[in-house]
Amino acid sequence: MSAGKPYHREVTRTWWLRNPFFVRYMVREASSLFVLGYSLVLLRALWALSEGPATYAAFLAALGSPWAIALHTLALLMVGYHAVTFLAMAPQTMRLEWRGRKVANTTIVAVEYAALVAVCGIVAAAFGVL
Amino acid sequence: MRRYQRSHEPVVWSLFGAGGMVAAFLLPVLILFSGVLMPLGVVDSTALSFDRARGFAGHWLGGLLVFSVISLSTWHAMHRIFHSLNDLKIGARRLRFMICYGCAACITLGAGVLVLTLQ
């Protein structure tokens, strides 16, 4: 008596192209590359700072090139999408209670956006805006 | 008695979660100001002058902040890249693990050393 050969559904490399939901998921995953890229830019800035004023000036000049501005604009869009989806996910990854009652998902997201506005305000103030 | 192999997931997930907060709250506005508005001349470039940036990263609190932003967002991104490569069926699991988290560890070490030399 044979149990038969178990059915094993083959996973292709392009499985995510069949459904727009999975395409959005993959775009979101790709945005991680820009998060990594920007942390490398920050690491590069830190290295330039440790080397001295001349190296740091060259780093700032490189930030002003058209390619750098275009890449940073793309990074802003991708990391922005990464951030918006991360904030939207928070109610699903944590369950908060306040006085024995579950905090509404919309409240959690609203508090996150209030904190985001505060952080943006601090950074804007550091850059001399506000 | 059966011995269970411990998963690496809780450790990297905590770093991933903390990094996600940093990436969501700080990175977009940092990219906007330092990478777009300042190079375009909308914002004054004295904000990132050598003395100011050196003073910020050279202070223990500023240095800790810069180190945390770099290392945590790297761990966050590498964790997702590790799982996306699996989704795309690229590389053996062990190899992906070594490359992704190995790079994250190296970047963390590099950022730590640089911040310490600036103190």
mmCIF file of all heavy atoms in Angstrom, chain B residues 64-87:
data_model
loop_
_atom_site.group_PDB
_atom_site.id
_atom_site.type_symbol
_atom_site.label_atom_id
_atom_site.label_comp_id
_atom_site.label_asym_id
_atom_site.label_seq_id
_atom_site.Cartn_x
_atom_site.Cartn_y
_atom_site.Cartn_z
ATOM 1 N N LEU B 64 25.822 58.711 20.315
ATOM 2 C CA LEU B 64 24.959 57.550 20.584
ATOM 3 C C LEU B 64 23.773 57.542 19.619
ATOM 4 O O LEU B 64 23.379 56.496 19.094
ATOM 5 C CB LEU B 64 24.468 57.603 22.031
ATOM 6 C CG LEU B 64 23.656 56.398 22.529
ATOM 7 C CD1 LEU B 64 24.522 55.141 22.578
ATOM 8 C CD2 LEU B 64 23.058 56.681 23.901
ATOM 9 N N LEU B 65 23.223 58.732 19.353
ATOM 10 C CA LEU B 65 22.078 58.854 18.441
ATOM 11 C C LEU B 65 22.479 58.447 17.020
ATOM 12 O O LEU B 65 21.797 57.643 16.374
ATOM 13 C CB LEU B 65 21.551 60.288 18.470
ATOM 14 C CG LEU B 65 20.225 60.515 17.746
ATOM 15 C CD1 LEU B 65 19.068 59.883 18.502
ATOM 16 C CD2 LEU B 65 19.964 62.004 17.548
ATOM 17 N N VAL B 66 23.615 58.989 16.552
ATOM 18 C CA VAL B 66 24.089 58.672 15.194
ATOM 19 C C VAL B 66 24.375 57.178 15.076
ATOM 20 O O VAL B 66 23.967 56.517 14.111
ATOM 21 C CB VAL B 66 25.349 59.497 14.852
ATOM 22 C CG1 VAL B 66 25.943 59.053 13.524
ATOM 23 C CG2 VAL B 66 25.026 60.976 14.805
ATOM 24 N N PHE B 67 25.063 56.604 16.110
ATOM 25 C CA PHE B 67 25.368 55.172 16.109
ATOM 26 C C PHE B 67 24.084 54.347 16.061
ATOM 27 O O PHE B 67 23.963 53.395 15.287
ATOM 28 C CB PHE B 67 26.190 54.805 17.352
ATOM 29 C CG PHE B 67 26.339 53.325 17.566
ATOM 30 C CD1 PHE B 67 27.179 52.578 16.751
ATOM 31 C CD2 PHE B 67 25.614 52.678 18.562
ATOM 32 C CE1 PHE B 67 27.303 51.209 16.923
ATOM 33 C CE2 PHE B 67 25.733 51.310 18.741
ATOM 34 C CZ PHE B 67 26.577 50.566 17.916
ATOM 35 N N SER B 68 23.084 54.729 16.864
ATOM 36 C CA SER B 68 21.824 53.980 16.911
ATOM 37 C C SER B 68 21.094 54.049 15.571
ATOM 38 O O SER B 68 20.567 53.045 15.095
ATOM 39 C CB SER B 68 20.901 54.526 18.002
ATOM 40 O OG SER B 68 21.581 54.593 19.217
ATOM 41 N N VAL B 69 21.056 55.255 14.971
ATOM 42 C CA VAL B 69 20.347 55.404 13.698
ATOM 43 C C VAL B 69 20.991 54.518 12.634
ATOM 44 O O VAL B 69 20.299 53.770 11.932
ATOM 45 C CB VAL B 69 20.323 56.881 13.244
ATOM 46 C CG1 VAL B 69 19.838 57.001 11.809
ATOM 47 C CG2 VAL B 69 19.424 57.702 14.164
ATOM 48 N N ILE B 70 22.332 54.560 12.540
ATOM 49 C CA ILE B 70 23.018 53.773 11.504
ATOM 50 C C ILE B 70 22.848 52.276 11.759
ATOM 51 O O ILE B 70 22.426 51.526 10.879
ATOM 52 C CB ILE B 70 24.518 54.133 11.434
ATOM 53 C CG1 ILE B 70 24.690 55.582 10.949
ATOM 54 C CG2 ILE B 70 25.258 53.176 10.498
ATOM 55 C CD1 ILE B 70 26.125 56.074 10.970
ATOM 56 N N SER B 71 23.161 51.822 12.992
ATOM 57 C CA SER B 71 23.165 50.374 13.231
ATOM 58 C C SER B 71 21.746 49.792 13.214
ATOM 59 O O SER B 71 21.515 48.774 12.573
ATOM 60 C CB SER B 71 23.874 50.040 14.544
ATOM 61 O OG SER B 71 23.192 50.614 15.621
ATOM 62 N N LEU B 72 20.797 50.452 13.873
ATOM 63 C CA LEU B 72 19.452 49.875 13.938
ATOM 64 C C LEU B 72 18.768 49.855 12.576
ATOM 65 O O LEU B 72 18.126 48.864 12.211
ATOM 66 C CB LEU B 72 18.589 50.623 14.961
ATOM 67 C CG LEU B 72 18.980 50.413 16.425
ATOM 68 C CD1 LEU B 72 18.125 51.271 17.339
ATOM 69 C CD2 LEU B 72 18.860 48.947 16.819
ATOM 70 N N SER B 73 18.905 50.935 11.783
ATOM 71 C CA SER B 73 18.248 50.898 10.476
ATOM 72 C C SER B 73 18.919 49.881 9.556
ATOM 73 O O SER B 73 18.264 49.279 8.714
ATOM 74 C CB SER B 73 18.129 52.276 9.836
ATOM 75 O OG SER B 73 19.296 52.992 9.927
ATOM 76 N N THR B 74 20.237 49.646 9.773
ATOM 77 C CA THR B 74 20.908 48.599 8.991
ATOM 78 C C THR B 74 20.364 47.216 9.345
ATOM 79 O O THR B 74 20.055 46.421 8.452
ATOM 80 C CB THR B 74 22.430 48.640 9.249
ATOM 81 O OG1 THR B 74 22.929 49.892 8.804
ATOM 82 C CG2 THR B 74 23.141 47.527 8.505
ATOM 83 N N TRP B 75 20.236 46.921 10.646
ATOM 84 C CA TRP B 75 19.693 45.621 11.069
ATOM 85 C C TRP B 75 18.272 45.446 10.549
ATOM 86 O O TRP B 75 17.887 44.353 10.098
ATOM 87 C CB TRP B 75 19.708 45.481 12.594
ATOM 88 C CG TRP B 75 21.047 45.113 13.118
ATOM 89 C CD1 TRP B 75 21.968 45.962 13.653
ATOM 90 C CD2 TRP B 75 21.657 43.811 13.122
ATOM 91 N NE1 TRP B 75 23.106 45.260 13.984
ATOM 92 C CE2 TRP B 75 22.947 43.950 13.676
ATOM 93 C CE3 TRP B 75 21.234 42.548 12.707
ATOM 94 C CZ2 TRP B 75 23.811 42.870 13.833
ATOM 95 C CZ3 TRP B 75 22.104 41.463 12.865
ATOM 96 C CH2 TRP B 75 23.366 41.631 13.425
ATOM 97 N N HIS B 76 17.495 46.527 10.592
ATOM 98 C CA HIS B 76 16.117 46.495 10.107
ATOM 99 C C HIS B 76 16.080 46.122 8.630
ATOM 100 O O HIS B 76 15.365 45.210 8.210
ATOM 101 C CB HIS B 76 15.482 47.872 10.328
ATOM 102 C CG HIS B 76 14.123 48.006 9.742
ATOM 103 N ND1 HIS B 76 12.994 47.510 10.350
ATOM 104 C CD2 HIS B 76 13.703 48.560 8.581
ATOM 105 C CE1 HIS B 76 11.941 47.758 9.596
ATOM 106 N NE2 HIS B 76 12.342 48.395 8.510
ATOM 107 N N ALA B 77 16.886 46.838 7.820
ATOM 108 C CA ALA B 77 16.893 46.603 6.374
ATOM 109 C C ALA B 77 17.431 45.203 6.056
ATOM 110 O O ALA B 77 16.838 44.474 5.246
ATOM 111 C CB ALA B 77 17.735 47.665 5.680
ATOM 112 N N MET B 78 18.520 44.792 6.725
ATOM 113 C CA MET B 78 19.134 43.496 6.436
ATOM 114 C C MET B 78 18.193 42.341 6.777
ATOM 115 O O MET B 78 18.182 41.318 6.103
ATOM 116 C CB MET B 78 20.446 43.352 7.219
ATOM 117 C CG MET B 78 21.594 44.117 6.604
ATOM 118 S SD MET B 78 21.910 43.629 4.885
ATOM 119 C CE MET B 78 23.466 44.435 4.604
ATOM 120 N N HIS B 79 17.386 42.513 7.830
ATOM 121 C CA HIS B 79 16.428 41.472 8.208
ATOM 122 C C HIS B 79 15.410 41.270 7.097
ATOM 123 O O HIS B 79 15.071 40.141 6.732
ATOM 124 C CB HIS B 79 15.738 41.877 9.514
ATOM 125 C CG HIS B 79 14.765 40.862 10.019
ATOM 126 N ND1 HIS B 79 15.148 39.621 10.460
ATOM 127 C CD2 HIS B 79 13.411 40.895 10.149
ATOM 128 C CE1 HIS B 79 14.085 38.933 10.840
ATOM 129 N NE2 HIS B 79 13.016 39.689 10.661
ATOM 130 N N ARG B 80 14.913 42.384 6.525
ATOM 131 C CA ARG B 80 13.941 42.279 5.421
ATOM 132 C C ARG B 80 14.603 41.723 4.173
ATOM 133 O O ARG B 80 14.016 40.939 3.448
ATOM 134 C CB ARG B 80 13.301 43.645 5.111
ATOM 135 C CG ARG B 80 12.209 44.143 6.031
ATOM 136 C CD ARG B 80 11.342 43.092 6.653
ATOM 137 N NE ARG B 80 10.765 42.127 5.735
ATOM 138 C CZ ARG B 80 10.224 40.972 6.117
ATOM 139 N NH1 ARG B 80 10.147 40.637 7.376
ATOM 140 N NH2 ARG B 80 9.733 40.140 5.226
ATOM 141 N N ILE B 81 15.863 42.142 3.901
ATOM 142 C CA ILE B 81 16.572 41.653 2.713
ATOM 143 C C ILE B 81 16.798 40.141 2.844
ATOM 144 O O ILE B 81 16.605 39.392 1.885
ATOM 145 C CB ILE B 81 17.903 42.416 2.527
ATOM 146 C CG1 ILE B 81 17.610 43.878 2.140
ATOM 147 C CG2 ILE B 81 18.778 41.758 1.467
ATOM 148 C CD1 ILE B 81 18.797 44.812 2.227
ATOM 149 N N PHE B 82 17.143 39.677 4.058
ATOM 150 C CA PHE B 82 17.329 38.246 4.323
ATOM 151 C C PHE B 82 16.068 37.465 3.944
ATOM 152 O O PHE B 82 16.132 36.429 3.276
ATOM 153 C CB PHE B 82 17.658 38.050 5.815
ATOM 154 C CG PHE B 82 17.725 36.616 6.261
ATOM 155 C CD1 PHE B 82 18.781 35.803 5.889
ATOM 156 C CD2 PHE B 82 16.723 36.077 7.069
ATOM 157 C CE1 PHE B 82 18.846 34.486 6.298
ATOM 158 C CE2 PHE B 82 16.786 34.754 7.482
ATOM 159 C CZ PHE B 82 17.843 33.953 7.099
ATOM 160 N N HIS B 83 14.899 37.973 4.343
ATOM 161 C CA HIS B 83 13.645 37.277 4.050
ATOM 162 C C HIS B 83 13.199 37.454 2.597
ATOM 163 O O HIS B 83 12.604 36.547 2.021
ATOM 164 C CB HIS B 83 12.547 37.728 5.015
ATOM 165 C CG HIS B 83 12.717 37.138 6.394
ATOM 166 N ND1 HIS B 83 12.469 35.819 6.679
ATOM 167 C CD2 HIS B 83 13.149 37.677 7.552
ATOM 168 C CE1 HIS B 83 12.726 35.567 7.943
ATOM 169 N NE2 HIS B 83 13.150 36.695 8.510
ATOM 170 N N SER B 84 13.484 38.623 1.997
ATOM 171 C CA SER B 84 13.093 38.826 0.583
ATOM 172 C C SER B 84 13.881 37.917 -0.346
ATOM 173 O O SER B 84 13.354 37.439 -1.339
ATOM 174 C CB SER B 84 13.330 40.252 0.108
ATOM 175 O OG SER B 84 12.988 41.148 1.064
ATOM 176 N N LEU B 85 15.161 37.702 -0.017
ATOM 177 C CA LEU B 85 15.978 36.819 -0.859
ATOM 178 C C LEU B 85 15.405 35.403 -0.833
ATOM 179 O O LEU B 85 15.449 34.695 -1.831
ATOM 180 C CB LEU B 85 17.438 36.824 -0.386
ATOM 181 C CG LEU B 85 18.204 38.120 -0.675
ATOM 182 C CD1 LEU B 85 19.593 38.059 -0.071
ATOM 183 C CD2 LEU B 85 18.303 38.376 -2.170
ATOM 184 N N ASN B 86 14.830 35.008 0.314
ATOM 185 C CA ASN B 86 14.165 33.713 0.401
ATOM 186 C C ASN B 86 12.934 33.706 -0.509
ATOM 187 O O ASN B 86 12.678 32.739 -1.224
ATOM 188 C CB ASN B 86 13.759 33.437 1.847
ATOM 189 C CG ASN B 86 13.063 32.100 1.998
ATOM 190 O OD1 ASN B 86 13.576 31.086 1.530
ATOM 191 N ND2 ASN B 86 11.895 32.103 2.609
ATOM 192 N N ASP B 87 12.167 34.819 -0.499
ATOM 193 C CA ASP B 87 10.979 34.935 -1.354
ATOM 194 C C ASP B 87 11.347 34.826 -2.825
ATOM 195 O O ASP B 87 10.564 34.351 -3.642
ATOM 196 C CB ASP B 87 10.280 36.284 -1.114
ATOM 197 C CG ASP B 87 9.651 36.354 0.266
ATOM 198 O OD1 ASP B 87 9.468 35.296 0.890
ATOM 199 O OD2 ASP B 87 9.349 37.476 0.720
#
